Amino acid sequence: NILRASVDPLEITEDAVPPLKELTTASMLAVHYENRHLLTDALEGGDTERADAETAYENAVIQSLQPKYPVVAAIRQALEEKAAEMAKSSNSARHALVIDERAIELCGMAMPKLLASVANGSRSVVACRARQDQK
């Protein structure tokens, strides 16, 4: 373990969350293509419409993946709980995020604001087995 004992990491990796291995890139892309019209619509609106469309897209992606991959809800809940914990704490040094390629793909597509919130509030982010474009 490369993190100090005082650190409370959130680990979203295939090792920590084995059902994540079942989630394929092809299924995530299929869901993205089904719902990308929501993002296209967002480009035509103002800031409020864009934010609403992005939220609608994220919710649509999660709802599409959820029946076949229940792990999506568990990951979202873990990120939400970590974000809430971070909001209550003034000590960012105790927070860390450990994430791998598949989790980056999922979270980057289905819950990017939540992922960014947790990553930005963490003292350290460890990207395991991530592609160069994900780092």
Side-chain angles (χ1 to χ4, degrees), residues 82-132:
K82 189 65 164 179
E85 178 187 329
M86 294 168 119
K88 293 177 187 173
S89 170
S90 60
N91 183 6
S92 69
R94 63 179 237 96
H95 301 291
L97 175 63
V98 180
I99 191 164
D100 67 7
E101 177 183 4
R102 194 172 315 261
I104 293 170
E105 273 188 278
L106 170 64
C107 296
M109 181 179 70
M111 44 199 107
K113 293 178 214 151
L114 194 52
L115 175 63
S117 173
V118 172
N120 289 334
S122 296
R123 169 85 183 238
S124 300
V125 176
V126 180
C128 306
R129 298 179 300 273
R131 296 187 317 259
Q132 189 63 33

Side-chain angles (χ1 to χ4, degrees), residues 45-97:
D47 289 342
T48 303
E49 292 87 3
R50 189 172 301 127
D52 290 345
E54 289 170 355
T55 299
Y57 168 79
E58 292 170 20
N59 289 333
V61 166
I62 290 169
Q63 289 174 0
S64 297
L65 290 171
Q66 182 82 23
K68 189 172 181 183
Y69 306 103
V71 70
V72 173
I75 290 171
R76 184 181 199 177
Q77 181 178 356
L79 283 167
E80 288 173 342
E81 288 172 1
K82 189 65 164 179
E85 178 187 329
M86 294 168 119
K88 293 177 187 173
S89 170
S90 60
N91 183 6
S92 69
R94 63 179 237 96
H95 301 291
L97 175 63

